[in-house]
Amino acid sequence: MYNIGEALIGDGNELAHVDLVMGDKNGPVGTAFATNMTNMSVGHTPLLSVIRPNLPTKPATLIIPKVTVQNLDDASKIFGPAQTAVGRAVADAVDDGIIPKDIVEDIVIMVNVYINPQATNYRKIYQYNYGATKLAIKRALENYPSMNKVLMEKDRGTHPVMGFKAVKLWNPPYLQVALDLDNEAKMESIISQLPNRERILIEAGTPLVKKFGVRIINKIRELRPNAFIIADLKTLDVGRVEVKMVADETADAVAISGLGTIESIEKAIHECSKQGIYSILDMMNVSDIPAKIDQLSIKPNIVLLHRNIDKETMQDANDTSQQSEWGNIGAIKEKLGKKGLIAVAGGVTPDKVNLAIENGAGIIIAGRYIIGSSDVKRAAEDFLQYMPQDPDTMRVALDEDEKL
């Protein structure tokens, strides 16, 4: 057996990111340890961690640079503050009882260390790598994180180095603003006036895409880098090609027409999954929505329902207990699975938001009420007032569940 740990501490160029594996000398980690020591590669020479020259730490620990060491200046950061930090963190982990003293001769540790070539502050390099190494050891021996923690954080967290936030629709309801326009200047004006809220999704409407092409999505991305952007293509055929086109332009979701053939819809949904974006099945003019969903071997992430759905689209026309202006939302949602979302559109005004949400809608789509308003911000807030505060995707992840 062996244990794996990871920790990121600090900021700026001196930020420390440590990955480590620890296990028996006579096991796979011991073999990897010896192999790395005897098979050096240019720029990634492994070195033993030491407390000071001529005093290696116990358990024996091997440091492997993640970033290519290109010159003596880079080497000095590894052989100086980083090597000392790792060595002392391992020794202190033993001294503090994190690593039992009776196993120090039986195990080895391999530590991957990230040192930015632009880092200059040796004290910060030492401090951050010391903290990251010690924390990674503790996490490794405690098998942190739990699977529940991973599932809770996977759609919420963001990475400080990535520079942007990959938005997931994990905490509905949301307000989708449909930019059904043919004027780029008007589009820019509306986006600039929209509140900077995580609950707002921005739709590149069909007229916008038809006039300016899918590149308009990138323009929206420039205006709102962290927005969740939907491309309303209403694609009927060659879905794979169209999905890839909008994914290449950084769209987060694409709308597919429910009027397409089952084969075409499934191919488009499959391509969305492949590209890592949401599939939206637009059921406008589909006569029997539940039947259409039942025919699909793979389900969309989101089903879009329009107001005034005919009676035959209900799962049970005689059961009006769950019916709304958009049909039997609950029954349709069940067909998508627990993560499936229902979006509703068609003359949605603020006074109908509560009704839609109570009936199970996760996305409220508004168009003319907002984009036709002389006060776009106020119009959007007319909807947002019925929704909870933004989800905490921008919070600082404090890992408050870790043991002290």
Side-chain angles (χ1 to χ4, degrees):
M1 284 293 294
Y2 55 87
N3 299 79
I4 297 171
E6 180 269 352
L8 185 150
I9 288 181
D11 54 23
N13 291 333
E14 288 73 26
L15 175 146
H17 185 213
V18 164
D19 304 311
L20 64 80
V21 59
M22 54 196 304
D24 296 337
K25 281 183 180 178
N26 295 323
V29 178
T31 300
F33 188 100
T35 301
N36 271 273
M37 284 195 69
T38 55
N39 288 275
M40 298 184 179
S41 61
V42 176
H44 297 273
T45 302
L47 60 150
L48 286 172
S49 67
V50 297
I51 303 299
R52 58 166 173 76
N54 300 311
L55 186 63
T57 191
K58 296 255 182 114
T61 301
L62 197 64
I63 300 171
I64 304 164
K66 292 184 185 180
V67 179
T68 303
V69 177
Q70 301 186 54
N71 50 48
L72 287 176
D73 186 43
D74 292 345
S76 294
K77 298 167 192 174
I78 292 287
F79 282 86
Q83 186 183 34
T84 305
V86 172
R88 290 187 177 177
V90 172
D92 280 347
V94 176
D95 196 31
D96 293 347
I98 298 171
I99 300 175
K101 285 184 180 180
D102 60 356
I103 68 168
V104 297
E105 298 292 352
D106 302 321
I107 67 170
V108 290
I109 304 174
M110 298 174 64
V111 182
N112 291 337
V113 172
Y114 169 82
I115 303 293
N116 188 328
Q118 297 180 13
T120 57
N121 190 317
Y122 276 34
R123 177 168 288 278
K124 285 187 177 181
I125 293 173
Y126 167 82
Q127 178 181 327
Y128 293 156
N129 279 279
Y130 171 89
T133 301
K134 192 173 179 183
L135 180 57
I137 291 170
K138 184 173 183 289
R139 288 174 169 175
L141 291 172
E142 293 178 350
N143 292 315
Y144 180 88
S146 67
M147 195 63 237
N148 286 339
K149 176 71 171 179
V150 172
L151 295 178
M152 182 179 71
E153 291 286 334
K154 69 180 180 66
D155 295 334
R156 302 167 71 188
T158 187
H159 198 289
V161 178
M162 195 162 73
F164 68 94
K165 180 180 56 178
V167 180
K168 295 289 187 179
L169 305 182
W170 64 276
N171 191 12
Y174 296 94
L175 170 64
Q176 180 173 323
V177 179
L179 301 177
D180 289 324
L181 304 162
D182 62 358
N183 186 303
E184 188 172 347
K186 177 70 171 175
M187 177 201 79
E188 292 181 15
S189 174
I190 290 170
I191 291 175
S192 69
Q193 295 177 67
L194 286 173
N196 190 19
R197 293 281 302 275
E198 292 176 12
R199 291 205 178 275
I200 291 183
L201 317 179
I202 298 179
E203 174 194 321
T206 309
L208 201 61
V209 176
K210 282 187 174 181
K211 181 164 185 177
F212 299 104
V214 295
R215 292 181 181 176
I216 197 67
I217 297 163
N218 242 326
K219 180 65 176 179
I220 297 173
R221 179 70 65 200
E222 290 173 7
L223 298 169
R224 282 289 174 98
N226 290 325
F228 187 96
I229 302 173
I230 297 116
D232 186 12
L233 299 187
K234 293 186 175 66
T235 185
L236 278 164
D237 198 5
V238 293
R240 283 184 171 178
V241 175
E242 294 189 0
V243 169
K244 188 178 186 304
M245 285 167 56
V246 296
D248 288 345
E249 297 297 328
T250 76
D252 296 289
V254 60
I256 305 156
S257 175
L259 294 173
T261 65
I262 295 301
E263 183 182 27
S264 293
I265 293 171
E266 288 180 340
K267 284 183 177 180
I269 294 173
H270 178 268
E271 189 64 25
C272 286
S273 177
K274 179 180 172 183
Q275 296 290 336
I277 65 176
Y278 283 70
S279 54
I280 303 172
L281 192 56
D282 188 336
M283 293 300 194
M284 179 182 286
N285 295 328
V286 174
S287 61
D288 191 336
I289 293 172
K292 191 82 173 189
I293 296 172
D294 285 338
Q295 293 177 65
L296 297 172
S297 60
I298 52 175
K299 310 300 184 189
N301 301 111
I302 302 166
V303 164
L304 169 54
L305 306 177
H306 293 265
R307 200 174 72 168
N308 297 326
I309 298 176
D310 294 334
K311 290 290 185 182
E312 59 265 27
T313 69
M314 311 297 186
Q315 192 170 39
D316 182 353
N318 296 318
D319 177 13
T320 60
S321 61
Q322 295 298 319
Q323 290 181 9
S324 66
E325 293 183 64
W326 302 276
N328 195 333
I329 294 176
I332 296 171
K333 189 175 179 181
E334 281 183 15
K335 294 179 179 295
L336 302 181
K338 65 178 182 179
K339 291 186 178 180
L341 292 173
I342 299 295
V344 295
V348 185
T349 51
D351 60 302
K352 295 179 181 177
V353 171
N354 280 337
L355 173 66
I357 293 174
E358 287 170 3
N359 278 277
I363 301 173
I364 309 299
I365 302 177
R368 292 189 303 273
Y369 187 96
I370 294 176
I371 67 174
S373 173
S374 59
D375 188 342
V376 169
K377 182 179 180 181
R378 178 200 56 76
E381 287 175 343
D382 286 348
F383 288 89
L384 293 169
Q385 66 176 315
Y386 296 101
M387 299 184 181
Q389 288 297 309
D390 283 351
D392 59 353
T393 50
M394 291 297 287
R395 82 203 190 291
V396 177
L398 298 177
D399 298 309
E400 63 283 351
D401 58 335
E402 289 191 79
K403 296 178 183 177
L404 299 177

